[in-house]
Amino acid sequence: QNINEYVAALIALKQKMIDGDRLLTEYQQKCTDILYFYINVAYRIKISALRCQVEQMLQKILPLEKCQEELGSLKAELEEKKVCL
């Protein structure tokens, strides 16, 4: 009877180890899923911030491009007047 109890205890212990391994694997998967979720959120926030920066830079560049065009026109006008003089 002691051997049967010992074998039953070993079988129960082995089942607990199997269950523990399964729970650990599930926990690790959930941790990985959560980590990927937060990394994804962080990248989305960073991308959004970069888009805002690009938009702000474009808003600053457009007036400068217009000024550059106007300066080019003025330079051409001055060259024409210089030739005429």
PDB file of all heavy atoms in Angstrom, residues 36-67:
ATOM      1  N   TYR A  36       4.270  43.636 -26.431  1.00  0.00           N
ATOM      2  CA  TYR A  36       4.096  44.043 -27.828  1.00  0.00           C
ATOM      3  C   TYR A  36       3.032  45.118 -27.957  1.00  0.00           C
ATOM      4  O   TYR A  36       3.171  46.040 -28.761  1.00  0.00           O
ATOM      5  CB  TYR A  36       3.751  42.842 -28.712  1.00  0.00           C
ATOM      6  CG  TYR A  36       4.944  41.977 -29.036  1.00  0.00           C
ATOM      7  CD1 TYR A  36       4.856  40.595 -28.946  1.00  0.00           C
ATOM      8  CD2 TYR A  36       6.145  42.536 -29.439  1.00  0.00           C
ATOM      9  CE1 TYR A  36       5.954  39.787 -29.235  1.00  0.00           C
ATOM     10  CE2 TYR A  36       7.235  41.743 -29.725  1.00  0.00           C
ATOM     11  CZ  TYR A  36       7.136  40.376 -29.625  1.00  0.00           C
ATOM     12  OH  TYR A  36       8.215  39.588 -29.918  1.00  0.00           O
ATOM     13  N   PHE A  37       1.980  45.027 -27.164  1.00  0.00           N
ATOM     14  CA  PHE A  37       0.926  46.043 -27.202  1.00  0.00           C
ATOM     15  C   PHE A  37       1.496  47.409 -26.828  1.00  0.00           C
ATOM     16  O   PHE A  37       1.274  48.402 -27.514  1.00  0.00           O
ATOM     17  CB  PHE A  37      -0.216  45.661 -26.247  1.00  0.00           C
ATOM     18  CG  PHE A  37      -1.247  46.736 -26.094  1.00  0.00           C
ATOM     19  CD1 PHE A  37      -2.192  46.958 -27.078  1.00  0.00           C
ATOM     20  CD2 PHE A  37      -1.245  47.552 -24.970  1.00  0.00           C
ATOM     21  CE1 PHE A  37      -3.130  47.969 -26.937  1.00  0.00           C
ATOM     22  CE2 PHE A  37      -2.182  48.559 -24.822  1.00  0.00           C
ATOM     23  CZ  PHE A  37      -3.126  48.765 -25.812  1.00  0.00           C
ATOM     24  N   TYR A  38       2.252  47.471 -25.727  1.00  0.00           N
ATOM     25  CA  TYR A  38       2.802  48.750 -25.287  1.00  0.00           C
ATOM     26  C   TYR A  38       3.869  49.281 -26.230  1.00  0.00           C
ATOM     27  O   TYR A  38       3.977  50.485 -26.447  1.00  0.00           O
ATOM     28  CB  TYR A  38       3.330  48.655 -23.856  1.00  0.00           C
ATOM     29  CG  TYR A  38       2.215  48.687 -22.846  1.00  0.00           C
ATOM     30  CD1 TYR A  38       1.897  47.579 -22.083  1.00  0.00           C
ATOM     31  CD2 TYR A  38       1.446  49.835 -22.679  1.00  0.00           C
ATOM     32  CE1 TYR A  38       0.848  47.602 -21.175  1.00  0.00           C
ATOM     33  CE2 TYR A  38       0.394  49.871 -21.778  1.00  0.00           C
ATOM     34  CZ  TYR A  38       0.112  48.753 -21.029  1.00  0.00           C
ATOM     35  OH  TYR A  38      -0.928  48.788 -20.143  1.00  0.00           O
ATOM     36  N   ILE A  39       4.648  48.378 -26.818  1.00  0.00           N
ATOM     37  CA  ILE A  39       5.631  48.815 -27.819  1.00  0.00           C
ATOM     38  C   ILE A  39       4.901  49.414 -29.013  1.00  0.00           C
ATOM     39  O   ILE A  39       5.287  50.468 -29.532  1.00  0.00           O
ATOM     40  CB  ILE A  39       6.545  47.645 -28.240  1.00  0.00           C
ATOM     41  CG1 ILE A  39       7.505  47.295 -27.111  1.00  0.00           C
ATOM     42  CG2 ILE A  39       7.295  47.964 -29.527  1.00  0.00           C
ATOM     43  CD1 ILE A  39       8.311  46.034 -27.342  1.00  0.00           C
ATOM     44  N   ASN A  40       3.828  48.757 -29.445  1.00  0.00           N
ATOM     45  CA  ASN A  40       3.032  49.251 -30.566  1.00  0.00           C
ATOM     46  C   ASN A  40       2.461  50.632 -30.256  1.00  0.00           C
ATOM     47  O   ASN A  40       2.509  51.542 -31.080  1.00  0.00           O
ATOM     48  CB  ASN A  40       1.913  48.252 -30.878  1.00  0.00           C
ATOM     49  CG  ASN A  40       1.219  48.538 -32.177  1.00  0.00           C
ATOM     50  OD1 ASN A  40       1.633  49.419 -32.929  1.00  0.00           O
ATOM     51  ND2 ASN A  40       0.160  47.824 -32.454  1.00  0.00           N
ATOM     52  N   VAL A  41       1.928  50.790 -29.042  1.00  0.00           N
ATOM     53  CA  VAL A  41       1.367  52.079 -28.636  1.00  0.00           C
ATOM     54  C   VAL A  41       2.466  53.147 -28.624  1.00  0.00           C
ATOM     55  O   VAL A  41       2.276  54.267 -29.114  1.00  0.00           O
ATOM     56  CB  VAL A  41       0.687  51.969 -27.251  1.00  0.00           C
ATOM     57  CG1 VAL A  41       0.362  53.340 -26.689  1.00  0.00           C
ATOM     58  CG2 VAL A  41      -0.579  51.128 -27.351  1.00  0.00           C
ATOM     59  N   ALA A  42       3.634  52.791 -28.082  1.00  0.00           N
ATOM     60  CA  ALA A  42       4.742  53.748 -28.016  1.00  0.00           C
ATOM     61  C   ALA A  42       5.166  54.184 -29.421  1.00  0.00           C
ATOM     62  O   ALA A  42       5.405  55.370 -29.671  1.00  0.00           O
ATOM     63  CB  ALA A  42       5.931  53.136 -27.272  1.00  0.00           C
ATOM     64  N   TYR A  43       5.248  53.232 -30.355  1.00  0.00           N
ATOM     65  CA  TYR A  43       5.618  53.580 -31.730  1.00  0.00           C
ATOM     66  C   TYR A  43       4.559  54.464 -32.381  1.00  0.00           C
ATOM     67  O   TYR A  43       4.890  55.406 -33.107  1.00  0.00           O
ATOM     68  CB  TYR A  43       5.846  52.331 -32.578  1.00  0.00           C
ATOM     69  CG  TYR A  43       7.225  51.751 -32.419  1.00  0.00           C
ATOM     70  CD1 TYR A  43       7.402  50.431 -32.030  1.00  0.00           C
ATOM     71  CD2 TYR A  43       8.353  52.520 -32.656  1.00  0.00           C
ATOM     72  CE1 TYR A  43       8.666  49.895 -31.872  1.00  0.00           C
ATOM     73  CE2 TYR A  43       9.622  51.998 -32.496  1.00  0.00           C
ATOM     74  CZ  TYR A  43       9.777  50.686 -32.109  1.00  0.00           C
ATOM     75  OH  TYR A  43      11.028  50.168 -31.953  1.00  0.00           O
ATOM     76  N   ARG A  44       3.292  54.177 -32.114  1.00  0.00           N
ATOM     77  CA  ARG A  44       2.226  55.016 -32.684  1.00  0.00           C
ATOM     78  C   ARG A  44       2.312  56.439 -32.154  1.00  0.00           C
ATOM     79  O   ARG A  44       2.119  57.399 -32.896  1.00  0.00           O
ATOM     80  CB  ARG A  44       0.859  54.417 -32.384  1.00  0.00           C
ATOM     81  CG  ARG A  44       0.559  53.190 -33.195  1.00  0.00           C
ATOM     82  CD  ARG A  44      -0.801  52.641 -32.866  1.00  0.00           C
ATOM     83  NE  ARG A  44      -1.013  51.385 -33.547  1.00  0.00           N
ATOM     84  CZ  ARG A  44      -2.180  50.980 -33.973  1.00  0.00           C
ATOM     85  NH1 ARG A  44      -3.245  51.718 -33.773  1.00  0.00           N
ATOM     86  NH2 ARG A  44      -2.297  49.828 -34.588  1.00  0.00           N
ATOM     87  N   ILE A  45       2.606  56.579 -30.866  1.00  0.00           N
ATOM     88  CA  ILE A  45       2.746  57.913 -30.271  1.00  0.00           C
ATOM     89  C   ILE A  45       3.938  58.630 -30.908  1.00  0.00           C
ATOM     90  O   ILE A  45       3.846  59.803 -31.263  1.00  0.00           O
ATOM     91  CB  ILE A  45       2.902  57.811 -28.744  1.00  0.00           C
ATOM     92  CG1 ILE A  45       1.573  57.369 -28.120  1.00  0.00           C
ATOM     93  CG2 ILE A  45       3.371  59.126 -28.151  1.00  0.00           C
ATOM     94  CD1 ILE A  45       1.673  56.989 -26.655  1.00  0.00           C
ATOM     95  N   LYS A  46       5.052  57.917 -31.055  1.00  0.00           N
ATOM     96  CA  LYS A  46       6.254  58.513 -31.649  1.00  0.00           C
ATOM     97  C   LYS A  46       5.984  58.923 -33.099  1.00  0.00           C
ATOM     98  O   LYS A  46       6.369  60.015 -33.516  1.00  0.00           O
ATOM     99  CB  LYS A  46       7.403  57.503 -31.585  1.00  0.00           C
ATOM    100  CG  LYS A  46       8.718  58.031 -32.061  1.00  0.00           C
ATOM    101  CD  LYS A  46       9.260  59.067 -31.125  1.00  0.00           C
ATOM    102  CE  LYS A  46      10.661  59.465 -31.518  1.00  0.00           C
ATOM    103  NZ  LYS A  46      11.164  60.563 -30.704  1.00  0.00           N
ATOM    104  N   ILE A  47       5.326  58.058 -33.861  1.00  0.00           N
ATOM    105  CA  ILE A  47       5.011  58.374 -35.257  1.00  0.00           C
ATOM    106  C   ILE A  47       4.103  59.594 -35.330  1.00  0.00           C
ATOM    107  O   ILE A  47       4.295  60.475 -36.172  1.00  0.00           O
ATOM    108  CB  ILE A  47       4.373  57.157 -35.958  1.00  0.00           C
ATOM    109  CG1 ILE A  47       5.447  56.085 -36.191  1.00  0.00           C
ATOM    110  CG2 ILE A  47       3.708  57.546 -37.273  1.00  0.00           C
ATOM    111  CD1 ILE A  47       4.900  54.748 -36.644  1.00  0.00           C
ATOM    112  N   SER A  48       3.136  59.672 -34.437  1.00  0.00           N
ATOM    113  CA  SER A  48       2.233  60.813 -34.410  1.00  0.00           C
ATOM    114  C   SER A  48       2.999  62.102 -34.115  1.00  0.00           C
ATOM    115  O   SER A  48       2.785  63.133 -34.759  1.00  0.00           O
ATOM    116  CB  SER A  48       1.145  60.589 -33.358  1.00  0.00           C
ATOM    117  OG  SER A  48       0.291  61.700 -33.295  1.00  0.00           O
ATOM    118  N   ALA A  49       3.904  62.044 -33.159  1.00  0.00           N
ATOM    119  CA  ALA A  49       4.715  63.217 -32.828  1.00  0.00           C
ATOM    120  C   ALA A  49       5.589  63.627 -34.006  1.00  0.00           C
ATOM    121  O   ALA A  49       5.720  64.818 -34.312  1.00  0.00           O
ATOM    122  CB  ALA A  49       5.577  62.930 -31.598  1.00  0.00           C
ATOM    123  N   LEU A  50       6.168  62.644 -34.693  1.00  0.00           N
ATOM    124  CA  LEU A  50       7.006  62.955 -35.860  1.00  0.00           C
ATOM    125  C   LEU A  50       6.178  63.567 -36.989  1.00  0.00           C
ATOM    126  O   LEU A  50       6.634  64.494 -37.671  1.00  0.00           O
ATOM    127  CB  LEU A  50       7.722  61.690 -36.347  1.00  0.00           C
ATOM    128  CG  LEU A  50       8.830  61.174 -35.426  1.00  0.00           C
ATOM    129  CD1 LEU A  50       9.327  59.816 -35.920  1.00  0.00           C
ATOM    130  CD2 LEU A  50       9.966  62.160 -35.338  1.00  0.00           C
ATOM    131  N   ARG A  51       4.953  63.084 -37.173  1.00  0.00           N
ATOM    132  CA  ARG A  51       4.083  63.662 -38.198  1.00  0.00           C
ATOM    133  C   ARG A  51       3.785  65.125 -37.885  1.00  0.00           C
ATOM    134  O   ARG A  51       3.777  65.974 -38.778  1.00  0.00           O
ATOM    135  CB  ARG A  51       2.783  62.871 -38.300  1.00  0.00           C
ATOM    136  CG  ARG A  51       2.930  61.590 -39.053  1.00  0.00           C
ATOM    137  CD  ARG A  51       1.602  60.894 -39.224  1.00  0.00           C
ATOM    138  NE  ARG A  51       1.766  59.655 -39.965  1.00  0.00           N
ATOM    139  CZ  ARG A  51       1.050  58.583 -39.781  1.00  0.00           C
ATOM    140  NH1 ARG A  51       0.084  58.579 -38.890  1.00  0.00           N
ATOM    141  NH2 ARG A  51       1.272  57.487 -40.493  1.00  0.00           N
ATOM    142  N   CYS A  52       3.546  65.414 -36.610  1.00  0.00           N
ATOM    143  CA  CYS A  52       3.295  66.801 -36.203  1.00  0.00           C
ATOM    144  C   CYS A  52       4.518  67.672 -36.489  1.00  0.00           C
ATOM    145  O   CYS A  52       4.388  68.800 -36.971  1.00  0.00           O
ATOM    146  CB  CYS A  52       2.939  66.877 -34.719  1.00  0.00           C
ATOM    147  SG  CYS A  52       1.294  66.271 -34.331  1.00  0.00           S
ATOM    148  N   GLN A  53       5.700  67.154 -36.177  1.00  0.00           N
ATOM    149  CA  GLN A  53       6.925  67.906 -36.442  1.00  0.00           C
ATOM    150  C   GLN A  53       7.103  68.168 -37.938  1.00  0.00           C
ATOM    151  O   GLN A  53       7.483  69.272 -38.347  1.00  0.00           O
ATOM    152  CB  GLN A  53       8.142  67.160 -35.896  1.00  0.00           C
ATOM    153  CG  GLN A  53       8.230  67.170 -34.393  1.00  0.00           C
ATOM    154  CD  GLN A  53       9.410  66.363 -33.886  1.00  0.00           C
ATOM    155  OE1 GLN A  53      10.102  65.678 -34.648  1.00  0.00           O
ATOM    156  NE2 GLN A  53       9.645  66.421 -32.591  1.00  0.00           N
ATOM    157  N   VAL A  54       6.830  67.160 -38.750  1.00  0.00           N
ATOM    158  CA  VAL A  54       6.947  67.324 -40.204  1.00  0.00           C
ATOM    159  C   VAL A  54       5.959  68.384 -40.690  1.00  0.00           C
ATOM    160  O   VAL A  54       6.302  69.237 -41.511  1.00  0.00           O
ATOM    161  CB  VAL A  54       6.726  65.970 -40.928  1.00  0.00           C
ATOM    162  CG1 VAL A  54       6.529  66.171 -42.415  1.00  0.00           C
ATOM    163  CG2 VAL A  54       7.886  65.036 -40.650  1.00  0.00           C
ATOM    164  N   GLU A  55       4.731  68.322 -40.187  1.00  0.00           N
ATOM    165  CA  GLU A  55       3.708  69.300 -40.577  1.00  0.00           C
ATOM    166  C   GLU A  55       4.136  70.716 -40.198  1.00  0.00           C
ATOM    167  O   GLU A  55       3.998  71.645 -40.985  1.00  0.00           O
ATOM    168  CB  GLU A  55       2.369  68.943 -39.909  1.00  0.00           C
ATOM    169  CG  GLU A  55       1.203  69.744 -40.412  1.00  0.00           C
ATOM    170  CD  GLU A  55       0.926  69.562 -41.894  1.00  0.00           C
ATOM    171  OE1 GLU A  55       1.083  68.449 -42.411  1.00  0.00           O
ATOM    172  OE2 GLU A  55       0.554  70.558 -42.531  1.00  0.00           O
ATOM    173  N   GLN A  56       4.692  70.870 -39.009  1.00  0.00           N
ATOM    174  CA  GLN A  56       5.166  72.191 -38.577  1.00  0.00           C
ATOM    175  C   GLN A  56       6.307  72.681 -39.460  1.00  0.00           C
ATOM    176  O   GLN A  56       6.355  73.856 -39.826  1.00  0.00           O
ATOM    177  CB  GLN A  56       5.621  72.141 -37.112  1.00  0.00           C
ATOM    178  CG  GLN A  56       4.485  71.980 -36.129  1.00  0.00           C
ATOM    179  CD  GLN A  56       4.976  71.731 -34.707  1.00  0.00           C
ATOM    180  OE1 GLN A  56       6.154  71.539 -34.464  1.00  0.00           O
ATOM    181  NE2 GLN A  56       4.039  71.725 -33.768  1.00  0.00           N
ATOM    182  N   MET A  57       7.216  71.779 -39.814  1.00  0.00           N
ATOM    183  CA  MET A  57       8.327  72.161 -40.690  1.00  0.00           C
ATOM    184  C   MET A  57       7.812  72.573 -42.068  1.00  0.00           C
ATOM    185  O   MET A  57       8.292  73.549 -42.649  1.00  0.00           O
ATOM    186  CB  MET A  57       9.325  71.014 -40.802  1.00  0.00           C
ATOM    187  CG  MET A  57      10.115  70.770 -39.528  1.00  0.00           C
ATOM    188  SD  MET A  57      11.152  69.315 -39.616  1.00  0.00           S
ATOM    189  CE  MET A  57      12.314  69.781 -40.863  1.00  0.00           C
ATOM    190  N   LEU A  58       6.833  71.843 -42.583  1.00  0.00           N
ATOM    191  CA  LEU A  58       6.270  72.191 -43.884  1.00  0.00           C
ATOM    192  C   LEU A  58       5.618  73.570 -43.845  1.00  0.00           C
ATOM    193  O   LEU A  58       5.737  74.358 -44.788  1.00  0.00           O
ATOM    194  CB  LEU A  58       5.260  71.135 -44.332  1.00  0.00           C
ATOM    195  CG  LEU A  58       5.853  69.807 -44.804  1.00  0.00           C
ATOM    196  CD1 LEU A  58       4.738  68.807 -45.074  1.00  0.00           C
ATOM    197  CD2 LEU A  58       6.710  69.996 -46.035  1.00  0.00           C
ATOM    198  N   GLN A  59       4.935  73.869 -42.745  1.00  0.00           N
ATOM    199  CA  GLN A  59       4.295  75.171 -42.611  1.00  0.00           C
ATOM    200  C   GLN A  59       5.339  76.292 -42.571  1.00  0.00           C
ATOM    201  O   GLN A  59       5.080  77.408 -43.015  1.00  0.00           O
ATOM    202  CB  GLN A  59       3.419  75.218 -41.358  1.00  0.00           C
ATOM    203  CG  GLN A  59       2.164  74.385 -41.486  1.00  0.00           C
ATOM    204  CD  GLN A  59       1.354  74.347 -40.205  1.00  0.00           C
ATOM    205  OE1 GLN A  59       1.737  74.920 -39.199  1.00  0.00           O
ATOM    206  NE2 GLN A  59       0.211  73.658 -40.243  1.00  0.00           N
ATOM    207  N   LYS A  60       6.522  76.016 -42.048  1.00  0.00           N
ATOM    208  CA  LYS A  60       7.595  77.019 -42.025  1.00  0.00           C
ATOM    209  C   LYS A  60       8.280  77.129 -43.382  1.00  0.00           C
ATOM    210  O   LYS A  60       8.733  78.201 -43.771  1.00  0.00           O
ATOM    211  CB  LYS A  60       8.630  76.662 -40.954  1.00  0.00           C
ATOM    212  CG  LYS A  60       8.111  76.828 -39.546  1.00  0.00           C
ATOM    213  CD  LYS A  60       9.157  76.406 -38.522  1.00  0.00           C
ATOM    214  CE  LYS A  60       8.610  76.522 -37.111  1.00  0.00           C
ATOM    215  NZ  LYS A  60       9.568  76.062 -36.100  1.00  0.00           N
ATOM    216  N   ILE A  61       8.359  76.021 -44.098  1.00  0.00           N
ATOM    217  CA  ILE A  61       9.081  75.994 -45.374  1.00  0.00           C
ATOM    218  C   ILE A  61       8.284  76.684 -46.487  1.00  0.00           C
ATOM    219  O   ILE A  61       8.858  77.383 -47.328  1.00  0.00           O
ATOM    220  CB  ILE A  61       9.415  74.538 -45.767  1.00  0.00           C
ATOM    221  CG1 ILE A  61      10.507  74.003 -44.858  1.00  0.00           C
ATOM    222  CG2 ILE A  61       9.846  74.436 -47.218  1.00  0.00           C
ATOM    223  CD1 ILE A  61      10.798  72.525 -45.041  1.00  0.00           C
ATOM    224  N   LEU A  62       6.971  76.496 -46.499  1.00  0.00           N
ATOM    225  CA  LEU A  62       6.169  77.042 -47.595  1.00  0.00           C
ATOM    226  C   LEU A  62       6.341  78.557 -47.761  1.00  0.00           C
ATOM    227  O   LEU A  62       6.560  79.025 -48.884  1.00  0.00           O
ATOM    228  CB  LEU A  62       4.694  76.670 -47.409  1.00  0.00           C
ATOM    229  CG  LEU A  62       4.379  75.174 -47.615  1.00  0.00           C
ATOM    230  CD1 LEU A  62       2.918  74.889 -47.294  1.00  0.00           C
ATOM    231  CD2 LEU A  62       4.711  74.749 -49.026  1.00  0.00           C
ATOM    232  N   PRO A  63       6.268  79.349 -46.687  1.00  0.00           N
ATOM    233  CA  PRO A  63       6.498  80.783 -46.874  1.00  0.00           C
ATOM    234  C   PRO A  63       7.911  81.096 -47.368  1.00  0.00           C
ATOM    235  O   PRO A  63       8.111  82.022 -48.163  1.00  0.00           O
ATOM    236  CB  PRO A  63       6.274  81.387 -45.473  1.00  0.00           C
ATOM    237  CG  PRO A  63       5.485  80.381 -44.720  1.00  0.00           C
ATOM    238  CD  PRO A  63       5.838  79.056 -45.313  1.00  0.00           C
ATOM    239  N   LEU A  64       8.884  80.320 -46.922  1.00  0.00           N
ATOM    240  CA  LEU A  64      10.258  80.539 -47.371  1.00  0.00           C
ATOM    241  C   LEU A  64      10.391  80.240 -48.860  1.00  0.00           C
ATOM    242  O   LEU A  64      11.101  80.957 -49.584  1.00  0.00           O
ATOM    243  CB  LEU A  64      11.231  79.669 -46.567  1.00  0.00           C
ATOM    244  CG  LEU A  64      11.363  80.018 -45.082  1.00  0.00           C
ATOM    245  CD1 LEU A  64      12.251  78.999 -44.381  1.00  0.00           C
ATOM    246  CD2 LEU A  64      11.916  81.413 -44.905  1.00  0.00           C
ATOM    247  N   GLU A  65       9.709  79.216 -49.333  1.00  0.00           N
ATOM    248  CA  GLU A  65       9.749  78.902 -50.765  1.00  0.00           C
ATOM    249  C   GLU A  65       9.123  80.028 -51.574  1.00  0.00           C
ATOM    250  O   GLU A  65       9.619  80.396 -52.644  1.00  0.00           O
ATOM    251  CB  GLU A  65       9.033  77.585 -51.039  1.00  0.00           C
ATOM    252  CG  GLU A  65       9.802  76.360 -50.578  1.00  0.00           C
ATOM    253  CD  GLU A  65       9.044  75.067 -50.806  1.00  0.00           C
ATOM    254  OE1 GLU A  65       7.805  75.102 -50.979  1.00  0.00           O
ATOM    255  OE2 GLU A  65       9.696  74.004 -50.796  1.00  0.00           O
ATOM    256  N   LYS A  66       8.034  80.588 -51.037  1.00  0.00           N
ATOM    257  CA  LYS A  66       7.377  81.708 -51.734  1.00  0.00           C
ATOM    258  C   LYS A  66       8.318  82.905 -51.791  1.00  0.00           C
ATOM    259  O   LYS A  66       8.438  83.566 -52.834  1.00  0.00           O
ATOM    260  CB  LYS A  66       6.080  82.071 -51.019  1.00  0.00           C
ATOM    261  CG  LYS A  66       5.251  83.080 -51.755  1.00  0.00           C
ATOM    262  CD  LYS A  66       3.925  83.307 -51.071  1.00  0.00           C
ATOM    263  CE  LYS A  66       3.115  84.335 -51.860  1.00  0.00           C
ATOM    264  NZ  LYS A  66       1.844  84.635 -51.220  1.00  0.00           N
ATOM    265  N   CYS A  67       8.987  83.199 -50.690  1.00  0.00           N
ATOM    266  CA  CYS A  67       9.953  84.308 -50.667  1.00  0.00           C
ATOM    267  C   CYS A  67      11.077  84.064 -51.665  1.00  0.00           C
ATOM    268  O   CYS A  67      11.529  85.002 -52.344  1.00  0.00           O
ATOM    269  CB  CYS A  67      10.541  84.480 -49.269  1.00  0.00           C
ATOM    270  SG  CYS A  67       9.405  85.194 -48.079  1.00  0.00           S
TER     271      CYS A  67
END
